[in-house]
Structure formats: structure tokens, C-alpha cells
């Protein structure tokens, strides 16, 4: 994110929460961001196939942030090796 867009991007994310959390197979959504706008979005989904099937919706949601992005994100999928919680 652009550093000066952080607050607006967070507000937009909160506005889009129902669409984000409503994606098929989504179990957990984590967004971390530093003051300079750098950060990560991590989503835990039912499985890789379900995640891949959400690709168009994810692109649409990222498109809503276009005014706030330094560059378009490039999603990567990984297998969950641990997801510990207290």
C-alpha cells in the first residue's frame, strides 16, 4: 500500500469485510501492515482448490484498492504446515 493511503485502505478493508469473509471455503483472514504500507494478507482456506476457485473474486477485491496500491499484489498459494492459536 502507499504509505499515505494506510488509513483509507484499512477503512475500505473493513467495508469489504462481508465480501472477504463470505468467500467460499475461507476460514481465516489476516492482514498485517507497517506504517510504510508494506505488509501481507494471509488467508487460510479449506484447501488449495477452493482457494484457486476464488481467484476472480480476489482480483475483484484487490481492484477496489487500486488507488491505494503501490503495485498490484501477486498471490501465492502454500500448504499450511501449522496454524497454532492460543
Amino acid at each position: 500500500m502507499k504509505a499515505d493511503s494506510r488509513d483509507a485502505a484499512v477503512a475500505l478493508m473493513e467495508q469489504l469485510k462481508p465480501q472477504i469473509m463470505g468467500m467460499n471455503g475461507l476460514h481465516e483472514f489476516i492482514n498485517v501492515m507497517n506504517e510504510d504500507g508494506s505488509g501481507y494478507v494471509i488467508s487460510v482456506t479449506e484447501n488449495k482448490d477452493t482457494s484457486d476457485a476464488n481467484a476472480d473474486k480476489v482480483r475483484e477485491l484487490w481492484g477496489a484498492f487500486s488507488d491505494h496500491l503501490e503495485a498490484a499484489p501477486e498471490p501465492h498459494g502454500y500448504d499450511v504446515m501449522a496454524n497454532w492459536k492460543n
Side-chain angles (χ1 to χ4, degrees):
M1 296 290 166
K2 297 174 185 173
D4 62 347
S5 291
R6 180 182 157 128
D7 291 342
V10 170
L12 179 57
M13 177 185 65
E14 290 292 336
Q15 180 183 347
L16 294 173
K17 181 179 178 180
Q19 292 177 351
I20 294 168
M21 297 307 294
M23 283 192 288
N24 187 35
L26 182 66
H27 293 293
E28 193 169 352
F29 175 85
I30 303 166
N31 184 318
V32 297
M33 188 181 342
N34 292 325
E35 291 292 327
D36 67 0
S38 64
Y40 292 95
V41 171
I42 301 162
S43 62
V44 178
T45 59
E46 193 170 295
N47 56 50
K48 187 174 182 325
D49 291 337
T50 301
S51 180
D52 290 346
N54 287 331
D56 288 341
K57 181 65 175 178
V58 170
R59 274 191 288 279
E60 175 188 324
L61 288 165
W62 275 118
F65 290 88
S66 62
D67 291 343
H68 309 300
L69 294 171
E70 287 285 340
E74 188 170 325
H76 301 281
Y78 300 92
D79 294 323
V80 175
M81 304 313 296
N83 184 11
W84 301 336
K85 298 178 185 176
N86 279 331

